[in-house]
Amino acid sequence: MTDMSTPTSTAPDTGARSPEAAGIITDARQRIDDLDGRIIGLVQERMAVSAVIQHERVTSGGRRVNLAREMEILTHYSDQLGKPGTALAMTLLELSRGQI
């Protein structure tokens, strides 16, 4: 029977080598999980708002995608987050466009 308070028992779950570090990692992971849930909710909200914009644009005779606006979004994310921000923005745009 292994003592659950030993450093080796915390390593498989957190990679930590002490119970104190394992506790900090566990708490931080919970915060990340909570943030991820909020991020996913915001992405879903963004997708819904984008669908409204696309519907109104197409219904009024416009194009479904506004490339100038997409470039603004790409630049904004890149300015704030660097090169990975551009990839993130591309993913958000792809999710928000829906089926083309």
Side-chain angles (χ1 to χ4, degrees), residues 42-54:
L42 288 169
V43 169
Q44 291 170 332
E45 183 178 350
R46 187 191 195 289
M47 291 166 63
V49 171
S50 181
V52 169
I53 292 168
Q54 290 174 51

Side-chain angles (χ1 to χ4, degrees), residues 13-69:
D13 295 331
T14 65
R17 298 195 179 258
S18 73
E20 296 80 15
I24 292 168
I25 291 168
T26 298
D27 291 346
R29 283 181 175 174
Q30 182 58 53
R31 185 159 182 228
I32 286 174
D33 290 345
D34 293 344
L35 289 167
D36 285 345
R38 289 170 47 199
I39 291 166
I40 290 167
L42 288 169
V43 169
Q44 291 170 332
E45 183 178 350
R46 187 191 195 289
M47 291 166 63
V49 171
S50 181
V52 169
I53 292 168
Q54 290 174 51
H55 173 78
E56 292 304 316
R57 190 181 297 126
V58 169
T59 301
S60 70
R63 292 178 175 237
R64 198 172 142 199
V65 175
N66 182 331
L67 296 178
R69 174 64 177 149

